[in-house]
Amino acid sequence: MANYELRIAHLYGDLMNTYGDYGNILALKYYGKQMGVQVDSTVVSLDTDFKADDYDLAVFGGGQDFEQSIVSKDLQKKKPELIKYIEEGKPMVAICGGFQMLGKYYIDANGDKMPGIGALNHHTEQQHDNRFIGNISIKNGDTGDTYKGFENHQGVTYLGEGEKPLGTIIKGYGNNGKDQSEGAIYKNVYCTYFHGPILARNGQLAKRMLLTALHNKYPDQDFSKQAAIEVPESY
């Protein structure tokens, strides 16, 4: 099997990693190795430039309100290149706070409004005296795959124009506990409240992201062998 190289931007990996979301990096590297792909990652943090052309995949993890308030300000500097990256159809997984910051805005526990970058059209409000916590499973409408994970969030997110959910709730609360949606998909961006982390428990999604990145970077290559690799069912 030929060897290929992919680069991951780990957005604010030193700040937005409260719930072990670094595991998504490890999962992409693990499945990349099965495919004969060298996957390297770079933390892109505060006052660090993000250039869309430098990366093939991106991971944006979750954090507490304090970290999100810092990231929200810095993120505006990266907005043009992040939107370019997304609109070019490059794959990204955004978890919890990362999910919220890609949208229009997030209302924190104190009622303060943090601006997102509006790359996606969702917005996030706040629950009062309640959190959505527990095991969750959803069914993806595109592939029919079932994704399993763990959610822990006080924010309630409502999808906007051009977005569809990552999946429909089988068990759990999801985006807002009302419309049976969980997460969001826009182009090749996958947003979710799944910690755990999502790609470690749902390798089929990691494989999907890697294949997308490979086709984007090496459009003339045949990746049928990589596509045929079997991913074990989630536990």
Side-chain angles (χ1 to χ4, degrees):
M1 190 179 294
N3 288 317
Y4 303 93
E5 296 182 355
L6 295 173
R7 292 192 65 195
I8 302 174
H10 190 187
L11 298 168
Y12 305 100
D14 53 341
L15 293 170
M16 303 287 279
N17 191 33
T18 302
Y19 302 105
D21 295 324
Y22 179 71
N24 291 304
I25 301 285
L26 298 179
L28 288 167
K29 290 184 175 182
Y30 172 80
Y31 287 108
K33 186 176 182 179
Q34 311 310 304
M35 294 180 176
V37 179
Q38 176 66 39
V39 180
D40 297 311
S41 63
T42 301
V43 173
V44 179
S45 192
L46 303 176
D47 299 320
T48 304
D49 287 340
F50 172 83
K51 298 296 183 184
D53 294 342
D54 290 346
Y55 300 100
D56 310 298
L57 301 114
V59 173
F60 194 173
Q64 303 290 342
D65 283 354
F66 175 72
E67 287 84 3
Q68 280 189 240
S69 67
I70 297 172
V71 167
S72 174
K73 296 173 183 176
D74 184 81
L75 199 61
Q76 306 307 316
K77 304 173 189 176
K78 299 176 175 60
K79 176 177 176 176
E81 287 291 315
L82 279 168
I83 289 177
K84 176 184 175 182
Y85 176 95
I86 291 169
E87 291 298 326
E88 287 179 349
K90 292 185 174 183
M92 175 189 294
V93 61
I95 307 95
C96 200
F99 175 13
Q100 294 164 352
M101 291 290 94
L102 290 182
K104 294 180 177 179
Y105 63 85
Y106 164 63
I107 305 296
D108 70 13
N110 295 320
D112 296 324
K113 187 175 184 178
M114 296 185 200
I117 60 170
L120 280 67
N121 284 322
H122 57 267
H123 67 277
T124 303
E125 305 289 342
Q126 188 65 220
Q127 298 184 77
H128 299 287
D129 301 319
N130 187 50
R131 293 185 72 86
F132 291 152
I133 304 175
N135 292 320
I136 181 171
S137 58
I138 62 175
K139 185 171 183 178
N140 181 273
D142 294 327
T143 64
D145 290 333
T146 298
Y147 301 147
K148 300 175 183 177
F150 184 83
E151 61 181 334
N152 182 355
H153 57 105
Q154 194 164 359
V156 286
T157 298
Y158 299 92
L159 302 188
E161 183 179 357
E163 295 180 286
K164 56 185 175 181
L166 178 63
T168 302
I169 295 293
I170 298 172
K171 174 186 177 182
Y173 300 100
N175 287 338
N176 50 57
K178 297 176 181 178
D179 62 15
Q180 300 301 302
S181 71
E182 203 294 316
I185 299 176
Y186 174 74
K187 293 185 178 289
N188 290 311
V189 176
Y190 305 99
C191 299
T192 183
Y193 278 111
F194 279 37
H195 297 291
I198 188 171
L199 299 184
R201 291 194 65 179
N202 303 279
Q204 64 271 46
L205 183 56
K207 176 182 170 182
R208 185 176 177 182
M209 292 180 64
L210 287 163
L211 285 170
T212 299
L214 287 169
H215 284 297
N216 285 345
K217 188 169 185 176
Y218 304 101
D220 299 324
Q221 297 296 308
D222 178 11
F223 293 110
S224 56
K225 290 184 178 179
Q226 285 83 354
I229 291 174
E230 295 187 6
V231 175
E233 184 177 354
S234 173
Y235 58 88

